[in-house]
Short mmCIF file of all heavy atoms in Angstrom, two decimals:
data_model
loop_
_atom_site.label_atom_id
_atom_site.label_comp_id
_atom_site.label_asym_id
_atom_site.label_seq_id
_atom_site.Cartn_x
_atom_site.Cartn_y
_atom_site.Cartn_z
N GLY A 59 3.18 -50.15 35.54
CA GLY A 59 3.24 -50.52 36.95
C GLY A 59 3.05 -49.34 37.89
O GLY A 59 3.72 -49.22 38.92
N VAL A 60 2.12 -48.45 37.54
CA VAL A 60 1.87 -47.27 38.38
C VAL A 60 0.36 -47.03 38.44
O VAL A 60 -0.37 -47.40 37.51
CB VAL A 60 2.63 -46.04 37.79
CG1 VAL A 60 2.13 -45.69 36.41
CG2 VAL A 60 2.54 -44.83 38.70
N GLU A 61 -0.11 -46.46 39.57
CA GLU A 61 -1.53 -46.10 39.65
C GLU A 61 -1.73 -44.74 38.98
O GLU A 61 -0.87 -43.85 39.13
CB GLU A 61 -1.97 -45.99 41.12
CG GLU A 61 -1.99 -47.32 41.88
CD GLU A 61 -3.02 -48.30 41.31
OE1 GLU A 61 -4.11 -47.85 40.87
OE2 GLU A 61 -2.71 -49.51 41.28
N PRO A 62 -2.87 -44.55 38.26
CA PRO A 62 -3.08 -43.24 37.60
C PRO A 62 -2.97 -42.06 38.55
O PRO A 62 -2.41 -41.02 38.20
CB PRO A 62 -4.51 -43.36 37.04
CG PRO A 62 -4.71 -44.82 36.84
CD PRO A 62 -3.93 -45.52 37.92
N ASP A 63 -3.46 -42.22 39.81
CA ASP A 63 -3.43 -41.07 40.72
C ASP A 63 -2.02 -40.80 41.27
O ASP A 63 -1.80 -39.80 41.96
CB ASP A 63 -4.49 -41.18 41.82
CG ASP A 63 -4.28 -42.39 42.72
OD1 ASP A 63 -3.26 -43.09 42.56
OD2 ASP A 63 -5.15 -42.64 43.58
N ALA A 64 -1.07 -41.69 40.97
CA ALA A 64 0.32 -41.44 41.38
C ALA A 64 1.09 -40.65 40.31
O ALA A 64 2.23 -40.23 40.54
CB ALA A 64 1.02 -42.76 41.66
N LEU A 65 0.48 -40.45 39.14
CA LEU A 65 1.12 -39.66 38.09
C LEU A 65 1.14 -38.19 38.52
O LEU A 65 0.20 -37.73 39.18
CB LEU A 65 0.35 -39.79 36.77
CG LEU A 65 0.28 -41.21 36.17
CD1 LEU A 65 -0.73 -41.24 35.01
CD2 LEU A 65 1.64 -41.66 35.71
N ILE A 66 2.18 -37.45 38.11
CA ILE A 66 2.19 -36.02 38.51
C ILE A 66 1.19 -35.21 37.68
O ILE A 66 0.86 -34.08 38.01
CB ILE A 66 3.60 -35.38 38.45
CG1 ILE A 66 4.20 -35.48 37.06
CG2 ILE A 66 4.51 -35.97 39.50
CD1 ILE A 66 5.47 -34.66 36.91
N GLY A 67 0.67 -35.80 36.65
CA GLY A 67 -0.38 -35.16 35.86
C GLY A 67 -0.53 -35.89 34.54
O GLY A 67 0.27 -36.76 34.20
N ILE A 68 -1.58 -35.51 33.83
CA ILE A 68 -1.87 -36.13 32.52
C ILE A 68 -2.16 -35.01 31.53
O ILE A 68 -2.91 -34.08 31.83
CB ILE A 68 -3.10 -37.06 32.63
CG1 ILE A 68 -2.81 -38.23 33.59
CG2 ILE A 68 -3.50 -37.60 31.25
CD1 ILE A 68 -4.05 -39.00 34.02
N GLY A 69 -1.55 -35.11 30.35
CA GLY A 69 -1.84 -34.15 29.29
C GLY A 69 -2.63 -34.82 28.19
O GLY A 69 -2.49 -36.02 27.95
N VAL A 70 -3.49 -34.04 27.53
CA VAL A 70 -4.30 -34.56 26.44
C VAL A 70 -4.12 -33.69 25.20
O VAL A 70 -4.26 -32.47 25.27
CB VAL A 70 -5.81 -34.55 26.83
CG1 VAL A 70 -6.68 -34.97 25.64
CG2 VAL A 70 -6.07 -35.46 28.02
N GLY A 71 -3.77 -34.32 24.09
CA GLY A 71 -3.76 -33.63 22.81
C GLY A 71 -5.07 -33.91 22.11
O GLY A 71 -5.40 -35.05 21.83
N SER A 72 -5.85 -32.85 21.88
CA SER A 72 -7.21 -33.04 21.38
C SER A 72 -7.44 -32.32 20.06
O SER A 72 -6.90 -31.25 19.83
CB SER A 72 -8.19 -32.48 22.43
OG SER A 72 -9.50 -32.43 21.92
N PRO A 73 -8.26 -32.92 19.20
CA PRO A 73 -8.68 -32.18 18.01
C PRO A 73 -9.74 -31.14 18.39
O PRO A 73 -10.10 -31.05 19.57
CB PRO A 73 -9.27 -33.26 17.10
CG PRO A 73 -9.80 -34.28 18.04
CD PRO A 73 -8.90 -34.24 19.27
N GLY A 74 -10.22 -30.40 17.43
CA GLY A 74 -11.24 -29.39 17.71
C GLY A 74 -10.62 -28.18 18.37
O GLY A 74 -9.41 -27.96 18.31
N ASP A 75 -11.46 -27.41 19.02
CA ASP A 75 -11.01 -26.19 19.67
C ASP A 75 -10.71 -26.54 21.13
O ASP A 75 -11.62 -26.66 21.94
CB ASP A 75 -12.14 -25.15 19.53
CG ASP A 75 -11.71 -23.79 20.04
OD1 ASP A 75 -10.57 -23.68 20.56
OD2 ASP A 75 -12.51 -22.86 19.93
N ALA A 76 -9.42 -26.73 21.45
CA ALA A 76 -9.02 -27.16 22.79
C ALA A 76 -8.53 -25.95 23.58
O ALA A 76 -7.55 -25.32 23.19
CB ALA A 76 -7.91 -28.21 22.70
N ASP A 77 -9.21 -25.63 24.66
CA ASP A 77 -8.86 -24.46 25.45
C ASP A 77 -7.93 -24.84 26.60
O ASP A 77 -8.34 -25.49 27.56
CB ASP A 77 -10.16 -23.82 25.99
CG ASP A 77 -9.91 -22.47 26.63
OD1 ASP A 77 -8.81 -22.26 27.20
OD2 ASP A 77 -10.81 -21.61 26.57
N GLU A 78 -6.64 -24.45 26.48
CA GLU A 78 -5.66 -24.83 27.50
C GLU A 78 -6.02 -24.28 28.86
O GLU A 78 -5.71 -24.88 29.88
CB GLU A 78 -4.25 -24.35 27.11
CG GLU A 78 -3.65 -25.13 25.97
CD GLU A 78 -2.11 -25.06 25.94
OE1 GLU A 78 -1.50 -24.54 26.90
OE2 GLU A 78 -1.54 -25.54 24.95
N LYS A 79 -6.66 -23.10 28.90
CA LYS A 79 -6.92 -22.44 30.19
C LYS A 79 -8.07 -23.12 30.94
O LYS A 79 -7.98 -23.38 32.12
CB LYS A 79 -7.24 -20.96 29.96
CG LYS A 79 -5.99 -20.19 29.56
CD LYS A 79 -6.16 -18.69 29.74
CE LYS A 79 -4.94 -17.96 29.20
NZ LYS A 79 -4.96 -17.89 27.70
N THR A 80 -9.18 -23.41 30.21
CA THR A 80 -10.35 -23.96 30.91
C THR A 80 -10.39 -25.49 30.86
O THR A 80 -11.11 -26.11 31.62
CB THR A 80 -11.65 -23.44 30.26
OG1 THR A 80 -11.73 -23.97 28.92
CG2 THR A 80 -11.67 -21.93 30.21
N GLY A 81 -9.64 -26.10 29.95
CA GLY A 81 -9.69 -27.56 29.83
C GLY A 81 -10.90 -28.07 29.07
O GLY A 81 -11.19 -29.26 29.07
N ALA A 82 -11.63 -27.15 28.41
CA ALA A 82 -12.81 -27.56 27.64
C ALA A 82 -12.42 -27.77 26.17
O ALA A 82 -11.50 -27.15 25.66
CB ALA A 82 -13.89 -26.48 27.73
N VAL A 83 -13.15 -28.67 25.53
CA VAL A 83 -12.95 -28.92 24.10
C VAL A 83 -14.28 -28.72 23.39
O VAL A 83 -15.31 -29.27 23.81
CB VAL A 83 -12.43 -30.36 23.85
CG1 VAL A 83 -12.41 -30.66 22.36
CG2 VAL A 83 -11.05 -30.54 24.46
N SER A 84 -14.26 -27.91 22.32
CA SER A 84 -15.49 -27.73 21.56
C SER A 84 -15.25 -27.94 20.07
O SER A 84 -14.09 -27.95 19.62
CB SER A 84 -16.08 -26.33 21.83
OG SER A 84 -15.09 -25.34 21.68
N SER A 85 -16.32 -28.14 19.34
CA SER A 85 -16.29 -28.29 17.87
C SER A 85 -15.31 -29.36 17.39
O SER A 85 -14.63 -29.17 16.40
CB SER A 85 -15.92 -26.97 17.17
OG SER A 85 -16.65 -25.91 17.71
N ALA A 86 -15.27 -30.49 18.10
CA ALA A 86 -14.42 -31.61 17.64
C ALA A 86 -15.29 -32.44 16.69
O ALA A 86 -15.84 -33.47 17.05
CB ALA A 86 -13.94 -32.43 18.82
N ARG A 87 -15.39 -31.96 15.45
CA ARG A 87 -16.42 -32.48 14.55
C ARG A 87 -16.17 -33.90 14.04
O ARG A 87 -17.08 -34.53 13.55
CB ARG A 87 -16.65 -31.53 13.38
CG ARG A 87 -17.32 -30.25 13.85
CD ARG A 87 -17.81 -29.36 12.74
NE ARG A 87 -18.33 -28.13 13.33
CZ ARG A 87 -17.56 -27.08 13.62
NH1 ARG A 87 -16.27 -27.11 13.36
NH2 ARG A 87 -18.08 -26.01 14.17
N ASN A 88 -14.91 -34.37 14.14
CA ASN A 88 -14.72 -35.77 13.72
C ASN A 88 -14.91 -36.77 14.87
O ASN A 88 -14.66 -37.94 14.72
CB ASN A 88 -13.38 -35.99 12.99
CG ASN A 88 -12.21 -35.52 13.83
OD1 ASN A 88 -12.40 -35.02 14.94
ND2 ASN A 88 -11.00 -35.70 13.34
N LEU A 89 -15.39 -36.26 16.02
CA LEU A 89 -15.71 -37.14 17.14
C LEU A 89 -17.24 -37.15 17.32
O LEU A 89 -17.89 -36.16 17.01
CB LEU A 89 -15.04 -36.64 18.43
CG LEU A 89 -13.50 -36.59 18.38
CD1 LEU A 89 -12.95 -35.94 19.63
CD2 LEU A 89 -12.92 -37.99 18.21
N PRO A 90 -17.78 -38.28 17.81
CA PRO A 90 -19.25 -38.40 17.84
C PRO A 90 -19.92 -37.40 18.78
O PRO A 90 -19.52 -37.26 19.93
CB PRO A 90 -19.47 -39.84 18.32
CG PRO A 90 -18.23 -40.21 19.06
CD PRO A 90 -17.11 -39.48 18.36
N GLY A 91 -20.93 -36.71 18.30
CA GLY A 91 -21.77 -35.84 19.13
C GLY A 91 -21.01 -34.71 19.81
O GLY A 91 -21.40 -34.29 20.91
N TRP A 92 -19.93 -34.25 19.23
CA TRP A 92 -19.07 -33.28 19.91
C TRP A 92 -19.06 -31.93 19.19
O TRP A 92 -18.00 -31.36 18.93
CB TRP A 92 -17.65 -33.83 20.02
CG TRP A 92 -16.87 -33.26 21.17
CD1 TRP A 92 -16.84 -31.96 21.57
CD2 TRP A 92 -16.01 -33.98 22.07
NE1 TRP A 92 -16.01 -31.81 22.64
CE2 TRP A 92 -15.50 -33.04 22.97
CE3 TRP A 92 -15.62 -35.31 22.18
CZ2 TRP A 92 -14.61 -33.41 23.99
CZ3 TRP A 92 -14.75 -35.66 23.19
CH2 TRP A 92 -14.25 -34.72 24.09
N GLU A 93 -20.24 -31.39 18.86
CA GLU A 93 -20.29 -30.07 18.22
C GLU A 93 -20.12 -28.97 19.26
O GLU A 93 -19.48 -27.96 19.02
CB GLU A 93 -21.61 -29.87 17.47
CG GLU A 93 -21.70 -30.63 16.15
CD GLU A 93 -22.00 -32.11 16.36
OE1 GLU A 93 -22.67 -32.43 17.37
OE2 GLU A 93 -21.54 -32.93 15.56
N GLY A 94 -20.71 -29.21 20.45
CA GLY A 94 -20.67 -28.18 21.49
C GLY A 94 -19.40 -28.24 22.32
O GLY A 94 -18.39 -28.81 21.90
N SER A 95 -19.45 -27.65 23.51
CA SER A 95 -18.30 -27.61 24.40
C SER A 95 -18.45 -28.67 25.50
O SER A 95 -19.54 -28.90 26.02
CB SER A 95 -18.20 -26.21 25.02
OG SER A 95 -17.15 -26.18 25.95
N PHE A 96 -17.34 -29.32 25.85
CA PHE A 96 -17.37 -30.36 26.89
C PHE A 96 -16.16 -30.18 27.80
O PHE A 96 -15.03 -30.02 27.33
CB PHE A 96 -17.33 -31.75 26.24
CG PHE A 96 -17.33 -32.89 27.23
CD1 PHE A 96 -18.50 -33.23 27.90
CD2 PHE A 96 -16.17 -33.60 27.49
CE1 PHE A 96 -18.49 -34.28 28.82
CE2 PHE A 96 -16.16 -34.65 28.41
CZ PHE A 96 -17.32 -35.00 29.08
N PRO A 97 -16.39 -30.20 29.14
CA PRO A 97 -15.27 -29.99 30.09
C PRO A 97 -14.41 -31.25 30.22
O PRO A 97 -14.48 -31.97 31.22
CB PRO A 97 -15.99 -29.64 31.40
CG PRO A 97 -17.31 -30.33 31.30
CD PRO A 97 -17.67 -30.40 29.84
N LEU A 98 -13.56 -31.50 29.23
CA LEU A 98 -12.82 -32.77 29.17
C LEU A 98 -11.82 -32.92 30.31
O LEU A 98 -11.74 -33.99 30.92
CB LEU A 98 -12.11 -32.87 27.81
CG LEU A 98 -11.35 -34.17 27.55
CD1 LEU A 98 -12.27 -35.38 27.60
CD2 LEU A 98 -10.63 -34.12 26.20
N ALA A 99 -11.07 -31.86 30.63
CA ALA A 99 -10.07 -31.96 31.70
C ALA A 99 -10.74 -32.30 33.03
O ALA A 99 -10.29 -33.19 33.76
CB ALA A 99 -9.29 -30.65 31.82
N GLU A 100 -11.83 -31.61 33.33
CA GLU A 100 -12.54 -31.82 34.58
C GLU A 100 -13.04 -33.26 34.68
O GLU A 100 -12.88 -33.93 35.71
CB GLU A 100 -13.73 -30.85 34.58
CG GLU A 100 -14.29 -30.50 35.92
CD GLU A 100 -15.47 -29.53 35.74
OE1 GLU A 100 -15.28 -28.46 35.11
OE2 GLU A 100 -16.57 -29.88 36.18
N ASN A 101 -13.64 -33.75 33.58
CA ASN A 101 -14.18 -35.10 33.55
C ASN A 101 -13.08 -36.14 33.81
O ASN A 101 -13.24 -37.05 34.63
CB ASN A 101 -14.85 -35.33 32.18
CG ASN A 101 -15.43 -36.72 32.04
OD1 ASN A 101 -14.69 -37.71 32.03
ND2 ASN A 101 -16.76 -36.81 31.94
N LEU A 102 -11.95 -36.00 33.11
CA LEU A 102 -10.86 -36.99 33.24
C LEU A 102 -10.19 -36.89 34.61
O LEU A 102 -9.77 -37.89 35.19
CB LEU A 102 -9.83 -36.79 32.13
CG LEU A 102 -10.27 -37.19 30.72
CD1 LEU A 102 -9.21 -36.78 29.69
CD2 LEU A 102 -10.53 -38.69 30.63
N GLN A 103 -10.09 -35.67 35.12
CA GLN A 103 -9.49 -35.45 36.43
C GLN A 103 -10.25 -36.23 37.49
O GLN A 103 -9.68 -36.87 38.35
CB GLN A 103 -9.57 -33.96 36.74
CG GLN A 103 -8.37 -33.39 37.43
CD GLN A 103 -8.26 -31.90 37.15
OE1 GLN A 103 -7.94 -31.50 36.03
NE2 GLN A 103 -8.57 -31.09 38.15
N GLU A 104 -11.58 -36.18 37.40
CA GLU A 104 -12.42 -36.89 38.34
C GLU A 104 -12.24 -38.41 38.20
O GLU A 104 -12.16 -39.13 39.18
CB GLU A 104 -13.89 -36.52 38.07
CG GLU A 104 -14.73 -36.49 39.32
CD GLU A 104 -15.88 -35.53 39.11
OE1 GLU A 104 -15.66 -34.29 39.23
OE2 GLU A 104 -16.97 -36.02 38.78
N ALA A 105 -12.16 -38.86 36.94
CA ALA A 105 -12.06 -40.30 36.70
C ALA A 105 -10.69 -40.85 37.09
O ALA A 105 -10.59 -42.00 37.52
CB ALA A 105 -12.34 -40.59 35.23
N LEU A 106 -9.63 -40.04 36.96
CA LEU A 106 -8.27 -40.59 37.10
C LEU A 106 -7.53 -40.11 38.34
O LEU A 106 -6.46 -40.62 38.67
CB LEU A 106 -7.47 -40.28 35.83
CG LEU A 106 -8.03 -40.95 34.57
CD1 LEU A 106 -7.42 -40.35 33.30
CD2 LEU A 106 -7.80 -42.46 34.60
N GLY A 107 -8.08 -39.10 39.01
CA GLY A 107 -7.52 -38.69 40.30
C GLY A 107 -6.21 -37.93 40.25
O GLY A 107 -5.45 -37.90 41.23
N THR A 108 -5.91 -37.30 39.12
CA THR A 108 -4.73 -36.43 39.06
C THR A 108 -5.02 -35.28 38.09
O THR A 108 -6.00 -35.34 37.33
CB THR A 108 -3.47 -37.21 38.65
OG1 THR A 108 -2.34 -36.34 38.73
CG2 THR A 108 -3.56 -37.75 37.23
N GLU A 109 -4.17 -34.25 38.14
CA GLU A 109 -4.43 -33.06 37.32
C GLU A 109 -4.36 -33.39 35.81
O GLU A 109 -3.49 -34.13 35.37
CB GLU A 109 -3.39 -31.99 37.65
CG GLU A 109 -3.72 -30.66 37.03
CD GLU A 109 -2.56 -29.66 37.15
OE1 GLU A 109 -1.44 -30.08 37.47
OE2 GLU A 109 -2.82 -28.48 36.89
#
Side-chain angles (χ1 to χ4, degrees):
V60 63
E61 292 296 324
D63 62 5
L65 298 169
I66 58 170
I68 297 166
V70 175
S72 170
D75 187 356
D77 189 329
E78 288 203 9
K79 288 197 185 77
T80 65
V83 172
S84 50
S85 313
R87 290 191 185 86
N88 55 359
L89 299 174
W92 206 317
E93 284 78 30
S95 176
F96 179 75
L98 183 60
E100 202 180 304
N101 180 294
L102 288 173
Q103 219 156 288
E104 213 153 281
L106 296 166
T108 186
E109 190 190 14

